[in-house]
Amino acid sequence: VVIGECGKLCYDDFAALPVRDVGLLLGAARIAPSGNPNQYFAGRVKTAARLYHAGKIRHILISGDNGRKDYDEPTDMKNALMELGVPAAAMTLDYAGFRTLDSVVRAKAVFGCSKLTVISQRFHAERAIYLAGKHDIDAIGFAAEEPTQKWLVKRNLKREKLARIAAWLDVNILGREPKFYGPKEPLKF
């Protein structure tokens, strides 16, 4: 399976999306390098809240980077979701989602999720679904809203080409593992 073929497992039709217990919300910075609000962050958070409120997912595993004291994607996403009415009890934070590979593998290895819905923009969700499949995780995705700035989308699609090559190499040649595993913390909901 190549990454582009995972697009058929990534939904953008809300009504057609199957119900899953867990949504894996992939991290993004709240503020873009420009100093403006990050539209990728906003799209992912809005989508996760919408899926939760509609009963398409019961629990949100928020996985992102918290590698520095002044940078905490999971907590920023949790706070934004709470502003949208998602209760704290419906969320679990994974602070060691430094890369998409880490987020996906840890979802199963640490949090016990072998079936989930990935929440991110389509290009990113497809790559996460591919990685999940390579780790025996039954994953589908839901495409979050894309930024309105076309230049930003084009820039990230160029970056995604390299990220897909790296993902393929990670699972097929290099056998890369997450930076950290840690103790098992099965989700309770």
Side-chain angles (χ1 to χ4, degrees):
V1 175
V2 293
I3 296 171
E5 291 177 11
C6 294
K8 63 185 175 227
L9 297 172
C10 188
Y11 294 78
D12 47 22
D13 177 358
F14 191 74
L17 180 70
V19 173
R20 294 274 171 112
D21 284 336
V22 178
L24 173 61
L25 176 57
L26 297 174
R30 177 173 228 147
I31 303 298
S34 65
N36 295 319
N38 185 344
Q39 290 186 17
Y40 287 101
F41 175 97
R44 293 177 197 183
V45 167
K46 283 189 234 174
T47 299
R50 182 177 177 214
L51 294 175
Y52 174 80
H53 290 304
K56 293 290 184 174
I57 55 175
R58 292 179 47 208
H59 196 85
I60 303 170
L61 174 58
I62 305 168
S63 184
D65 189 348
N66 181 37
R68 301 185 322 256
K69 284 186 179 185
D70 62 336
Y71 190 78
D72 186 350
E73 292 174 353
T75 300
D76 286 346
M77 290 185 131
K78 176 185 177 184
N79 292 339
L81 284 163
M82 289 174 63
E83 290 171 14
L84 295 173
V86 177
M91 296 181 267
T92 298
L93 279 56
D94 174 12
Y95 295 104
F98 302 112
R99 300 176 57 210
T100 304
L101 174 75
D102 296 44
S103 296
V104 170
V105 173
R106 285 175 52 81
K108 181 178 179 185
V110 175
F111 298 99
C113 302
S114 58
K115 187 174 183 177
L116 49 83
T117 298
V118 174
I119 304 162
S120 191
Q121 283 71 26
R122 176 174 286 281
F123 69 88
H124 191 204
E126 289 176 358
R127 180 164 35 99
I129 292 166
Y130 172 78
L131 291 167
K134 290 292 186 174
H135 290 88
D136 297 319
I137 300 167
D138 177 3
I140 58 175
F142 193 83
E145 181 181 308
E146 293 279 350
T148 55
Q149 297 122 329
K150 299 297 179 204
W151 68 267
L152 183 57
V153 173
K154 283 182 181 180
R155 183 192 75 190
N156 280 333
L157 289 177
K158 285 180 184 175
R159 178 191 171 277
E160 181 62 18
K161 287 179 183 180
L162 295 174
R164 287 181 179 209
I165 292 167
W168 187 89
L169 288 169
D170 283 348
V171 297
N172 293 296
I173 305 293
L174 302 173
R176 279 226 168 101
E177 297 288 327
K179 188 172 182 178
F180 300 109
Y181 275 100
K184 292 188 182 299
E185 302 175 39
L187 298 183
K188 297 178 180 112
F189 48 92

